[in-house]
Amino acid sequence: MRAAMLEHGMNPADRRIASDSRGRPCLTGAPDVDFNITHTGGLVVCAWEQAAGGPRVGVDAECMGTRSPSVMHRSAARWFTPGEREAFA
């Protein structure tokens, strides 16, 4: 997050990661920034969108070695878009 803030001309000392009323992470003092972050098994993924009123971003990561193929397919069926399900298959 610090690298993304610096890359977008923000001073990380002026911002704080907080949660909105629904528990979604947000960046204080940056209403035009939407981001999401996840981590698992030594992997960290962060998605960042900077556009007022732009699309919301979301990321999730799962350590597939701990999940059976049937569990992964059920998760994909529930959460993925049609295009994501096709790519996953």
Side-chain angles (χ1 to χ4, degrees):
M1 284 300 298
R2 181 178 177 80
M5 285 185 249
L6 290 169
E7 184 177 322
H8 289 88
M10 296 178 189
N11 182 349
D14 296 337
R15 307 286 190 258
R16 186 174 64 80
I17 297 174
S19 297
D20 68 13
S21 62
R22 298 177 75 192
R24 185 177 170 89
C26 60
L27 196 57
T28 61
D32 63 333
V33 171
D34 185 50
F35 77 95
N36 208 271
I37 192 164
T38 187
H39 61 89
T40 184
L43 173 72
V44 176
V45 178
C46 179
W48 174 292
E49 173 67 28
Q50 188 169 5
R56 304 291 307 251
V57 296
V59 293
D60 189 24
E62 294 290 334
C63 194
M64 291 180 68
T66 63
R67 305 278 194 256
S68 71
S70 63
V71 168
M72 293 302 296
H73 283 279
R74 282 196 307 273
S75 294
R78 180 173 181 188
W79 299 108
F80 289 11
T81 65
E84 290 169 335
R85 286 192 297 270
E86 185 177 321
F88 179 74

